[in-house]
Amino acid sequence: MDLNAFLEGFALVVEPKNLLYCLIGVLIGMIIGVLPGLGPAATIAILLPITYAIDPVSAIIMLAGIYYGAQYGGTITSVLLRLPGEASSVVTVFDGFALAKQGKAGTALGIAAIGSFVGATISIIGLTLLAPVVASFALDFGPPEYAALALLGVLLVAAIGSGNKLKALIAGTIGLLLATVGRDSFSGASRFTFDSLHLADGIDFVVVAMGLFGVGEILYNLEQRHARRQIPTAVGNVWPSRKDLKQASGAIGRGSIIGFVLGVLPGGGAVLSSIVAYATEKRRSKTPERFGRGAVEGVAAPETANNAAATSSFIPLLTIGLPANASMAMLFGALLILGVSPGPQLVDEHPDVFWGVINSMYIGNLLLLILSIPLVGLFVRILRVRPAILAPITALITILGVYTINNSTFDIFLMIVFGVIGYLMKKGGFDPGPMVLAFVLGSIIESSTRRSLLIFGGDPTGFFTRPISGTILAIFVILLVLPAVRLALKRRGEHKAAESADASKEVGV
């Protein structure tokens, strides 16, 4: 690690302008986390046009703050309303709301804030130490390695992500197809443009993101929140007792490690890490029956893990140029819009962005800890705002944001189309995240694959002769085949069990 660059990054972050953007980012993130359904990916997508007028370092610091700040805010609705503000806070609902019904809502929120701060801080330290090492290793990556890695990233969204695996694969496939729209970068031929000049340069990432996450989430959220109106539970003392802190300390430590490791994996992220951390604590507990009825560890573990994962997911984005989840795909697009290419060269070509983002997290998480406890009362009031008021404001910002990109009304109509698609996907149980992630990775897969084939003289076996790309593709094949093997073994076992049962009956007769 370059100590001078690290210190210069800190000096950059503590500039008043960047501190202000960091504060704005984490505040917006907390508010978005409190509002169920919208999420950091949608918010970053909506705010992308604003970043055109901001310095790249300040813009990325603000957008990153929105992402990890939303993990804090999502806890509040999970505890007070039994309604996850964020997908990563779904598991927190089980014990958080149970504690709130016992009059311990403040304790749950306090434990969550402390666990979130500890998990994020440990993860930031790991990010600081490991990111430059990973970046130097990634310098050996060429087109074959990037093609294999991007392909693996698309598969991992369905292989280890939450939700229906088949639906995630279908959404990812659609995203890959959308990435092919426009002129062929090698031959110049038009593809899937339907003779429309508006589609000649392809579909803009911001249009897709704002449609699926912005408009789609607004429509779905209005329907869901209109169906049920809840009043937040009262909040008492938010400072947990020594007994609660002692009880939660082990869960916080384990959640930090689980979150850091799983956050690095494409498709893993905050949602998967919170589920794994909760399951680990329940399995380790001598009294697992407490979980779901108000166990402090049931709040501490997932909240620590999801914040640790939110931080460590920056490692593949900054060092390899591979977004690990939908929110990272938004940040990936923001970096490209600002003229910064994420990847191994980032630490050398743009050390201000690389170290500025990492070091801003130390300050951002400290701000979140300071703000999260005293502002709980304010966020409870925000929850009382009718969605019918918030939705039109968000929709207006979204439309203006898309129009300002190319001054094109066609982009607005296209965004609305993607918004309807996003709404229908949510209704049908399809997560739009894999679609956006595959859309971002699609161009990387195509260009890297075609460059690789030019290097190999058209021989596809060349991917397997290179150590790194061969290893990545071997992992890809294993993950692809593993579910089928497990299913075959399960059916074989069931068949043998049925045969044994029949044999036992015959002997008895």
Side-chain angles (χ1 to χ4, degrees), residues 17 29 43 50 52 91 106 133 166 177 187 203 222-223 236 256 284 294 315 333 356 395 426-427 430 502 506:
K17 177 183 70 173
T43 307
I50 298 175
Y52 289 126
V91 186
V133 177
L166 179 60
L177 288 173
S187 66
I203 302 173
L222 274 174
E223 181 185 50
S256 300
R284 285 178 53 90
I315 292 179
K426 294 280 284 185
K427 289 282 288 182
F430 287 84
D502 291 339
E506 289 177 3

Side-chain angles (χ1 to χ4, degrees), residues 117-347:
F117 174 75
V118 172
T121 302
I122 291 174
S123 191
I124 296 167
I125 294 171
L127 174 63
T128 304
L129 297 175
L130 286 180
V133 177
V134 176
S136 61
F137 171 74
L139 287 172
D140 296 329
F141 276 41
E145 286 73 26
Y146 273 106
L149 195 62
L151 190 63
L152 179 63
V154 173
L155 179 64
L156 284 176
V157 171
I160 65 175
S162 58
N164 187 291
K165 306 296 185 292
L166 179 60
K167 289 182 177 180
L169 277 175
I170 293 171
T173 303
I174 295 171
L176 290 174
L177 288 173
L178 289 172
T180 64
V181 174
R183 291 192 187 94
D184 187 321
S185 58
F186 285 79
S187 66
S190 296
R191 304 181 301 188
F192 308 113
T193 59
F194 304 101
D195 296 325
S196 171
L197 292 176
H198 295 290
L199 294 174
D201 293 326
I203 302 173
D204 198 291
F205 166 79
V206 178
V207 174
V208 176
M210 283 186 166
L212 290 176
F213 287 106
V215 178
E217 290 288 349
I218 290 169
L219 295 173
Y220 183 77
N221 214 26
L222 274 174
E223 181 185 50
Q224 295 300 310
R225 294 186 70 183
H226 180 72
R228 50 181 177 179
R229 183 72 175 165
Q230 291 178 285
I231 303 299
T233 307
V235 179
N237 180 24
V238 294
W239 295 105
S241 64
R242 287 187 178 182
K243 179 184 176 183
D244 292 328
L245 287 172
K246 184 178 179 180
Q247 199 170 3
S249 58
I252 290 173
R254 287 182 288 272
S256 300
I257 297 170
I258 291 170
F260 180 80
V261 173
L262 294 183
V264 176
L265 300 176
V271 179
L272 183 64
S273 63
S274 63
I275 295 171
V276 173
Y278 185 87
T280 300
E281 292 307 311
K282 188 173 181 179
R283 194 177 297 114
R284 285 178 53 90
S285 177
K286 296 178 180 178
T287 54
E289 65 277 2
R290 292 188 304 110
F291 285 77
R293 299 179 181 178
V296 173
E297 307 97 296
V299 174
E303 287 303 311
T304 302
N306 64 32
N307 279 271
T311 301
S312 65
S313 61
F314 279 86
I315 292 179
L317 174 71
L318 297 176
T319 60
I320 306 175
L322 181 69
N325 52 55
S327 296
M328 289 296 104
M330 300 298 125
L331 287 169
F332 182 90
L335 286 166
L336 293 179
I337 288 170
L338 295 167
V340 178
S341 298
Q345 300 293 341
L346 181 63
V347 67

Side-chain angles (χ1 to χ4, degrees), residues 332-364:
F332 182 90
L335 286 166
L336 293 179
I337 288 170
L338 295 167
V340 178
S341 298
Q345 300 293 341
L346 181 63
V347 67
D348 294 322
E349 295 178 357
H350 299 280
D352 54 341
V353 174
F354 185 85
W355 290 112
V357 171
I358 292 176
N359 291 335
S360 70
M361 294 181 190
Y362 287 102
I363 296 173

